[in-house]
Amino acid sequence: GINAEYGDWSFPEERSEPPENIEEKLSCPFKKKMQTYFLLVVLVLLNPFLCSTYVSRVETELNVDFDSVVPAPLNCPYGAPKLPNDTLVAFRVGALVDQYGKKDPAGPYAVLGWNLAFQKMNNLAKEINSPFFFTLQIHDTRGEGEVALQKIRQLYEAGIRVVVGPTSSEELKAIESFVEQNGVVLISPTSSSNELGKKDSIYRVSLNDAVVASAYAAFATQSGFSTVIVGARSDSYGQSFLNSFTTAFKGKTVPFTYSDAAFNATQLASSFNAAATALGNSSFGVLVIAFDEWSAILSAASAHPILKSATWFGPNTLVSTAFPDLFTFANQTKVLALLPSVSPHNDIYNGLYSTLMSINTAQTPFELFYAYDSAMLAIYSFFGPQTDKAPYYDRSLLATSRNLFLSTGKVALDNNGDRVPTTEFEVFRLKIESFTPLHYRWTDVGSISNGVLQTTY
């Protein structure tokens, strides 16, 4: 239940260097206020680099009312103004997401992050009197790969070639072939499976599992754990992360895997308890690689005293308020998460964080920031150097990203379209600020820099 209706607010401008700022791209060539469609057509045909737009990806609407073009999920105030005899150019982006969090609770936050990015860019276009505006067509995948494939086909048939989402690697695997065969530019905010890290037209804002798992392995080693008990999903994401962690961690790993269909938090917590008991006095930690079931696991673990003495950590930061035992447990032990450093936190990050807190003060899901940045990359993809070498006409996005700073920091992509690795991570601890009403927060308590842990918890 996230209310995506929100008031006006603004960010500082993002810049891409060399200095070809987005205002210049949005306003060119209409800053001169061309009055005839004929002149526009002549200029576009004679100069394919004009405004660096992809003609094949531009939906040109003549004399249309803006409100009739923008889909309902995008609650933007008018966007680019329509002047008499002017042409409005709509850049259409599709979105694939578990919209209501049926399987991935990050879905609703991804929608919010995308809406905020589109609102910002349409407000900017309005301010500089640009005829460009951006629309977002959201399709609910319910977290299922087959549905995601069906939905991306619908987007493709509607002429949409730039898509944000899906949020999970399992869904992304299901549509990977279609994306490649049809030259769709797809930007996933949170997919991280190693097997999807290859040269294609799929871009991923989150770091590859191998990079993040290495940071977690360094954290476990620096924390003095001789053994790490691991609970991991049996899907692409869970196994990719588990394998990467096992390879990077020099101590002993005791893994337990589960599927959505066979998931039982009580049984899994009992397995953790048995493994921890067998370790005797050995120092151990518990790593959980999960989605929303993470909350049920922590809640079930609260029944076992030995597990309260452990440090719990994992890459998921969404916690369900439906499990009150979880929060009592979190007060008695350490529940930690590692995230790539955004240091110092920039104005974009702070603005998003403030907006998130005004909407839902109980949670601080970092997935929203990655969604926002994926939407900005989707918008920027329309303004790179044009090339006719489909399906790699979007490769200019790599160059654009190299000096692009957004809410999660520098969003540089490597030649595979994955985020450039970093060795700088921040350590966050789950802290309960109040029980009535329930309010928790992930608090920055340390860092991992080049494999060296520094903490204050």
Side-chain angles (χ1 to χ4, degrees), residues 83-412:
L83 302 176
N85 300 319
D86 275 356
T87 298
L88 289 180
V89 182
F91 294 87
R92 299 187 300 161
V93 177
L96 300 174
V97 64
D98 184 0
Q99 188 170 0
Y100 303 104
K102 182 178 180 181
K103 288 188 175 181
D104 184 359
Y109 292 97
V111 173
L112 178 57
W114 291 331
N115 278 334
L116 290 171
F118 275 75
Q119 183 195 44
K120 180 213 168 162
M121 294 308 294
N122 279 315
N123 284 345
L124 176 59
K126 178 184 177 181
E127 289 171 8
I128 63 175
N129 204 32
S130 169
F132 296 161
F133 62 93
F134 308 92
T135 70
L136 184 64
Q137 184 173 334
I138 299 174
H139 283 233
D140 183 14
T141 66
R142 304 197 300 271
E144 299 174 8
E146 291 183 2
V147 178
L149 181 58
Q150 173 189 349
K151 297 299 184 181
I152 198 169
R153 283 174 174 159
Q154 292 175 4
L155 289 170
Y156 185 83
E157 290 170 0
I160 294 176
R161 297 295 183 268
V162 179
V163 177
V164 289
T167 56
S168 75
S169 294
E170 200 71 11
E171 290 177 82
L172 189 51
K173 279 178 59 181
I175 65 174
E176 180 185 16
S177 295
F178 183 89
V179 168
E180 279 303 286
Q181 291 169 6
N182 294 282
V184 176
V185 179
L186 188 140
I187 307 169
S188 172
T190 51
S191 166
S192 57
S193 176
N194 295 329
E195 63 183 306
L196 293 167
K198 50 193 172 185
K199 190 171 184 178
D200 48 28
S201 60
I202 295 174
Y203 300 93
R204 301 191 296 171
V205 180
S206 292
L207 288 169
N208 193 289
D209 283 337
V211 178
V212 180
S214 293
Y216 274 89
F219 169 81
T221 300
Q222 293 275 308
S223 297
F225 303 146
S226 59
T227 302
V228 173
I229 300 170
V230 184
R233 297 176 59 86
S234 59
D235 60 11
S236 175
Y237 161 61
Q239 294 309 293
S240 170
F241 199 103
L242 172 60
N243 292 337
S244 295
F245 179 84
T246 302
T247 300
F249 182 52
K250 303 308 178 184
K252 180 182 178 181
T253 302
V254 182
F256 297 92
T257 60
Y258 59 89
S259 65
D260 281 332
F263 174 69
N264 185 305
T266 301
Q267 290 181 1
L268 189 61
S270 295
S271 297
F272 288 173
N273 181 63
T277 302
L279 292 174
N281 295 323
S282 299
S283 177
F284 71 96
V286 183
L287 168 63
V288 180
I289 309 162
F291 289 154
D292 59 335
E293 67 274 11
W294 155 266
S295 298
I297 294 170
L298 288 174
S299 180
S302 66
H304 303 282
I306 193 172
L307 296 181
K308 294 179 182 179
S309 65
T311 296
W312 289 68
F313 52 107
N316 183 35
T317 60
L318 279 169
V319 183
S320 172
T321 57
F323 298 92
D325 289 344
L326 177 163
F327 299 98
T328 302
F329 181 69
N331 265 5
Q332 298 169 338
T333 186
K334 301 184 187 77
V335 180
L336 306 170
L338 273 61
L339 291 169
S341 294
V342 182
S343 182
H345 286 165
N346 56 46
D347 289 337
I348 309 170
Y349 175 98
N350 292 333
L352 283 169
Y353 186 86
S354 297
T355 299
L356 179 60
M357 289 296 94
S358 70
I359 295 170
N360 187 339
T361 58
Q363 302 198 56
T364 55
F366 294 97
E367 288 81 357
L368 177 143
F369 301 99
Y370 289 94
Y372 175 90
D373 289 359
S374 69
M376 293 301 297
L377 281 173
I379 291 171
Y380 272 89
S381 74
F382 292 109
F383 296 95
Q386 184 170 344
T387 170
D388 56 1
K389 296 180 180 178
Y392 297 112
Y393 52 77
D394 57 289
R395 304 307 292 180
S396 64
L397 193 55
L398 300 182
T400 300
S401 73
R402 285 174 189 153
N403 294 295
L404 191 61
F405 288 83
L406 296 172
S407 70
T408 59
K410 187 175 182 179
V411 190

Side-chain angles (χ1 to χ4, degrees), residues 438-452:
L438 180 62
H439 182 197
Y440 73 82
R441 183 163 302 199
W442 289 95
T443 304
D444 196 336
V445 294
S447 65
I448 287 272
S449 179
N450 295 313
V452 178

